[in-house]
Amino acid sequence: MPNPCLSCGACCATFRVTFYRGEATSGLGSVPEELVSTVTPVRVAMNGTNTVNPRCVALAGAIGVATVCTIHQNRPSTCREFTPSWEAGEPEDGCDRARLAHGLFPLTPVDWLPDAPSRAA
C-alpha cells in the first residue's frame, strides 16, 4: 500500500516533538543527541519543533510534495505512535489539523489505496 505520509510531512512541521530523554543516544536510546534540545530535566524535543513555526530538523523535503524522516529507524516514540488519519481505519484529529495548517486536505480512506494521487487543498 502507498503511504501518503511520504508526500506530506505536515505533522513534522506543526507539532512540538517531545519525549523522554532516555530515548536520546545520551540515555542509551536511538535518537541522535545532536538533534534534540532540553525541555525539562527529563524531557527533550526534536530540534526545530520547539518554535513558533515548528519544523523537525530530521524532516527532509517539501511538505505536501515529497518528504522523508532522515532518522526514521531511530525516530522517537512520539513519532512512532502518531497515527495518520485512516491508516487504522478512522480519522485522527492531529493529522487532519496538521495537514490543514499546511494547505492540504485531510486524508481519507481512498488515500491509502494503491495508486491514490496526492491531494492539496
Side-chain angles (χ1 to χ4, degrees), residues 18 20 24-25 34-35 53 66 79 81-82 86 89 93 103 107 118:
T18 309
Y20 174 62
T25 51
E34 63 274 11
L35 300 183
N53 296 305
C79 301
E81 294 166 3
F82 190 90
W86 300 103
D93 183 60
L107 294 175
S118 279

Side-chain angles (χ1 to χ4, degrees), residues 1-5 82-96 99 105-113 119:
M1 286 189 129
N3 188 330
C5 297
F82 190 90
T83 305
S85 278
W86 300 103
E87 180 185 46
E90 58 188 41
E92 290 292 334
D93 183 60
C95 175
D96 293 347
R99 288 180 60 86
F105 287 114
L107 294 175
T108 69
V110 172
D111 293 305
W112 293 93
L113 297 175
R119 298 176 304 123

Side-chain angles (χ1 to χ4, degrees), residues 24-108:
T25 51
S26 65
L28 303 179
S30 61
V31 180
E33 184 69 28
E34 63 274 11
L35 300 183
V36 303
S37 54
T38 299
V39 175
T40 71
V42 295
R43 307 285 289 166
V44 295
M46 289 298 297
N47 287 340
T49 68
N50 198 17
T51 65
V52 174
N53 296 305
R55 183 181 170 111
C56 182
V57 67
L59 178 65
I63 296 167
V65 179
T67 58
V68 66
C69 174
T70 61
I71 62 163
H72 190 265
Q73 293 297 94
N74 298 320
R75 70 194 187 282
S77 59
T78 306
C79 301
R80 289 191 307 269
E81 294 166 3
F82 190 90
T83 305
S85 278
W86 300 103
E87 180 185 46
E90 58 188 41
E92 290 292 334
D93 183 60
C95 175
D96 293 347
R97 285 186 293 119
R99 288 180 60 86
L100 288 170
H102 290 276
L104 303 170
F105 287 114
L107 294 175
T108 69

